[in-house]
Amino acid sequence: MPDSKMDETKKKKKKTAECCGYPISIFFIVVNEFCERFSYYGMRAVLVLYFRYFLLWDDDLATSIYHAFVALCYLTPILGAIIADSWLGKFKTIIYLSIVYAVGQVVMAVSTIHDITDANRDGTPDNFTLHIALSMLGLVLIALGTGGIKPCVAAFGGDQFQEHQSRQLNTFFSVFYLCINAGSLLSTLITPVLRAQECGIHTQQQCYPLAFGVPAALMVVSLVVFIAGSGMYTKTAPEGNIMGSVCKCIWFALNNRFRHRSDIYPKREHWMDWAEEKYDKLLIAQIKMVLKVLFLYIPLPMFWTLFDQKGSRWTLQATTMTGDFGGFVLQPDQMQTVNPILILTLVPIMDRIIFPLIKKCGLNFSPLKRMTVGMLFAATAFIAAALVQMEIDKTLPNFPSSSESQLKVVNMHSESLIVTVPSQEPLLIGSFEVQHTSKHTTAVSHWCFTISSHVVFPQSSPDYITFDQQDIRLAFNTTPEINKDLSLIKGSRQTLIIPSEPAEMYLKEDIKSKPKEGKNAVRFVNGWTAYLNITNLESSLQPSETSNYTLVSQGMRKFTLTDGIQSCEFSRKFGFGSSYTFLIPSDLFSTDCESIKEIEDMQPNSVHMALQIPQYFLITTGEVMFSVTGLQFSYSQAPKNMKSVLQAGWLCTNAVGNIIVLIVAELGKLPKQWAEYVLFASLLVAVSIIFSIMAYFYTYIDPAEIEAEILKQQETDPDKKKKKETLEMEEKENEQEIKQTKI
Ligand SMILES: N[C@@H](Cc1ccc(O)cc1)C(=O)NCC(=O)O
């Protein structure tokens, strides 16, 4: 009896312990997956912050390395699958690669301990090279581990089920997906909190070691749980270098087909049948099964291209919205946790209610149909995102185009001022002219000119619009008229600060996009007669000086202003994404900071983050239909000895999707974000139509049945023995050739 058939028979005969119809070993596998996903997503949640604020990389480098790491995590599954199916088997591969993974997590956690190189005890590492080297080593090990075990764990879980448990097998993939999301949800909530703690041996710093240490510990737990179930698993042994045989067989078929390209040779049903002269029918049939599924996967990366943008584009969209939900405040990046929360509710609803209902209605909602509908849901999610974006666009400030400049004038002089700019009506700006709005006074002694350079200043240099003596005139009631040469940078917003001594006026550049991460940009103009120290600002402010912007989070923020002798406190509640210039008058301390006036440079965000819930709902419904079904489909349609390989193929669609996101992000963007969302939605609709046509021609198979059928035929086939002998002889010849070449 052939080995493979013997394994199959053994599997059928072996009675596995069951609970409610499920093999007990499944419990260890789903707990293992929960811990592993906790470890992976927990580490990922704080990774960019670690790059940015611990290693002090800039935004671009931090995000590029982050995306490269994620892409690597989805490319390594193919390696894990080859090791499992051809060499070690799934069980050993999971154990060995989990050890690599856990070591990687520990190395990563160690790399975040600032004290290991902080000899001067100033709270910052002294040897960044060591921290970078350790963290890169850690990340490579993690990518190898997490990607390597990923295709094996799902397939190994599937292997635990026996033939009579096909209903339970389908449920397993849903439960598996639930565990992934429960683990990731918990960790994305917990690790940022751990990071926000302070810890350290010599100095107290943000606690990255804890934020990375807990995921490392969970990975060790994951490994221990998996080993604990060791005695209960059904383990299928690898059948030699299957990937090598597959490649050789395909190569032979292609070559043979080419050699017999003339019309005199009779056609064969499939191009792989040209390998029949040399290779086993079973292997050819198995390769055909895998190729058929892999061909079907070609359009799938487009789904992931849209799906993975919820972590980037949608989070950026959230930074231009407000997250005040009354009882609690949601930060823009926390909005992503809506996805696993919805998964935890939608998977049971789909499995228990929606799919059975569809079945009851007599509709055949086959896996490939589900996946197509999932893609359409994702496309609709992007239409919803485009509609939200249009609402946001209505509230965004009118930023200058690349050929325009915007100028604002702030008059801190004691007299009113008339400003004249060519082709604009002269404007009168009172001294600290104020409108009383609620508790705080709002200065209205400013406004914006939007100046199109090509219209008003045709003689200007390419980068600057230069106001010459005649161009801008500032007239006070008593002071003589002042003319000023000003250089306005094209595409920027600038503020002309006129201090108490107007001749010392100067330009200060304004923020010209929404502040990052939904924060608020604030700055102060010092109208007090001496230097001032203000909490949260980098350095003290000289008289008449304007500080750079500092970013503050949403909520009540307190600033203490002191000149070294006197001090007062100024508090203000901030929303999301606003920008303010605070004018400090000369009566600051006598009014106990009450006289500080604010200029709203940029309105706080007004569109609510709750508007993103429909798009999250749609994309998550799409994910349940597409991803859970895809996982199940990849397992059910794969031959017994190539289950991990097809799982890896499935994960590869995700890697390609991620790479497309990277390319699209680098290539030019459409001028309007909503248009980009509509473009992506249209592309996915087009791709899902192609996929549905491909799916229409796909015939579902039962690989085990086909394999058994072929084996039965081969028992009675006299040619088979001959072919096997030829194959073995050729392999020997090959080996000898290699030996001789070496000599
Ligand atoms: N739904 C995702 C998991 C997830 C969790 C948290 C997020 O902020 C985003 C995504 C999922 O199930 N992915 C599959 C996997 O194997 O990780």
Side-chain angles (χ1 to χ4, degrees), residues 447-462:
W447 84 105
C448 280
F449 288 121
T450 300
I451 300 157
S452 289
S453 57
H454 57 275
V455 177
V456 183
F457 302 102
Q459 76 282 33
S460 61
S461 72

Side-chain angles (χ1 to χ4, degrees), residues 270 272-273 283-293:
H270 192 282
M272 270 309 299
D273 293 334
L283 181 67
I284 295 172
Q286 288 170 330
I287 295 175
K288 277 189 204 168
M289 294 179 216
V290 170
L291 290 181
K292 246 172 78 176
V293 179

Side-chain angles (χ1 to χ4, degrees), residues 37 41 150 177 180-181 184 307 310 336 339-340 343 623:
R37 288 288 93 182
Y41 281 103
K150 200 138 183 54
Y177 217 79
I180 290 176
N181 284 275
S184 60
F307 183 79
K310 69 178 173 31
Q336 279 190 68
N339 169 263
I343 288 273
E623 184 189 357

Side-chain angles (χ1 to χ4, degrees), residues 344-358:
L344 294 179
T345 43
L346 281 176
V347 168
I349 292 177
M350 292 282 182
D351 268 9
R352 304 263 156 219
I353 304 170
I354 310 287
F355 294 148
L357 218 64
I358 293 175

Side-chain angles (χ1 to χ4, degrees), residues 679-698:
L679 175 71
F680 275 117
S682 320
L683 283 175
L684 190 56
V685 170
V687 164
S688 51
I689 292 171
I690 298 172
F691 180 70
S692 64
I693 297 170
M694 290 163 80
Y696 179 78
F697 291 102
Y698 183 85

